[in-house]
Amino acid sequence: MRRMTTTFYLLLISELCSLKTAFSNFHFISQKKTHEEAKDYCQRIHTDLATINNVTAMNNLIASVPNNTVRSWIGLELGNVSRWHWAWSTQNLDFLNWRVGEPKGLGRDSCAAIDPQGEWFESECDTQRSFVCHGNSDVPNDYIFVANAKSWRDAQKHCRDLALDLVSVGSAEENKEVRNLTTDPNVWIGLFRDAWRWSDGSQSSFRYWKPQQPNYGNQNCVAAVFKDDGKWNDLNCGSQRTFICQGPSKVSPNTSTTATTPSNNTTNTSAVVPFMSTAASSTPKINSGDVSDTTQFSNITTTGSGFPLTSGNLTLIRENRTWIESLNYCRERHMDLVYVAGQSTQDRVAHMAQHATSSHIWLGLRYTCNFDLWFWSASSADCYQNWSPGQGPGERSYECGITAAMVATGGHTWVGLPETQRLNFICQEDCAR
């Protein structure tokens, strides 16, 4: 059984620099298609419609879409058979402790609770109960009992707000520990039953439903609703919406592909990968050289009326935009906002920043309130840092909506600024060091 305290979880992410937890490779497609057409497109051009495994992946998916997007198809669809899952998608159903006559098969969706004898029973998920949270690590006895009665989903949200989840039980010993921790007679555990499945066949049990969803009817496919923080809604599969693919491109981003729409047999030609958020699966080289070798900066060229300026795989955009607008611009025309993973890239970016028309330039570095963590939009947490004094991890408290910018002059150090400020920015063609 895996347990993790919140503190341990945050330290693990922020302190282990060798850990490269790659974010999922998501691609926003602005065409509108039915769910089946979207799935066909993604399977031909990428891998499949998006599968989401956890809150981190969901946050990354949200960051991969333009900020005016209303809702987009993901890869969750209704199957024919309901199955039991643990809230932690990596926890197998190796141990079950149903009391006699359980589970009863109450409906398409149901949840599990533990009784005073430590036996489990099936229950309507809307029933109000106390619950137990836990972390996903090997730290023993890391349980949090919450006496406030909530529905199963509200209980799960409470746990997730603590960077935990509802408790999974993998042995008789753990079952006893959970039962002995609680003071209420019947308590939620993290076991639930539904018939939803991912189009790529993966077994992720992660769910991120809006309140009162899913409501079924003739609504067998799922979209993320971005005006509601990306929460999910079940919808009619035949409605046409934008969608999100996952996996590497099977064709070049600059290559057009012909997609046939089954409903009207028309041909639709469009550029692939208009929006993308990815951790590099390969590492194409950029000029590293010795940091004192200024020849690597000598190839800066300008276009048109003086912007943009390019140097190798970097492009300085001398237009003032918010951080999100800058991110979307780079993902439409290049790959991502610049990712500074080492001194060589820092030096190249600093040299280009001297040509900016704003006092700072945006970097692809963003603060997440969920985990109190800075992360690169194009990769994972990284060791290299060049923060100004009093800025950066551990130096101060940041509010939500803070992103990183480089000072355009002087020491070219980094500071945290509100993402609504409007600055120049640098786009990058790849995520290499």
Side-chain angles (χ1 to χ4, degrees), residues 78-82 195 197:
L78 193 64
N80 297 320
V81 179
S82 290
R197 66 183 184 185

Side-chain angles (χ1 to χ4, degrees), residues 23 67 80 84 93 143 162 196 266 290 293-294 324 398 409 418:
F23 292 114
N67 57 10
N80 297 320
W84 287 97
L93 286 171
Y143 304 94
L162 300 174
W196 296 97
T266 59
D290 186 88
D293 182 4
T294 58
I324 293 294
Y398 290 96
T409 58

